[in-house]
Amino acid sequence: MYTLLVVGARTEDLASLAGAHASVEILRASGPDEAVEKLGRNRRVDAVLLLGGGAQVAEAADAIREDNPAPPPLFAVSGPDGPPAGVRSIPAGTPAEWLASIVAGIGRE
């Protein structure tokens, strides 16, 4: 069982995924502060999906790494400029495709 923390205003995009992948539990955070709080309270998070524009993704990644220098893998949907350093890129597509990419990514570790 994997636990994925989804961070960003677009977390409603993933509402339909609850129960869609038998081996994934989805937690949600609306922004960087809530993400840091949830990661601090829940050390079983296997990966983090950062949603939003480039600046929002970078801000969330920075806040998470500031609080935890060795966070779970961070993922973001591919954009024109690519993800910030230390954030893995997943292909643009549907939320179900994002989830499949993340599961494949953390399954290879």
Side-chain angles (χ1 to χ4, degrees), residues 70-81:
L74 306 176
F75 293 86
V77 177
S78 300
D81 299 327

Side-chain angles (χ1 to χ4, degrees), residues 7-10 32 48-65 74-79 82-89:
V7 182
R10 293 176 41 205
V48 179
L49 173 59
L50 306 170
L51 298 176
Q56 293 167 317
V57 168
E59 178 186 358
D62 289 346
I64 290 168
R65 283 194 295 257
L74 306 176
F75 293 86
V77 177
S78 300
V87 177
R88 299 177 191 184
S89 180

Side-chain angles (χ1 to χ4, degrees), residues 22-45:
S23 64
V24 178
E25 173 188 11
I26 297 175
L27 304 176
R28 295 178 180 87
S30 61
D33 293 337
E34 187 178 359
V36 167
E37 178 186 333
K38 286 198 175 187
L39 285 168
R41 286 186 290 129
N42 188 346
R43 296 292 177 188
R44 73 185 210 292
V45 171

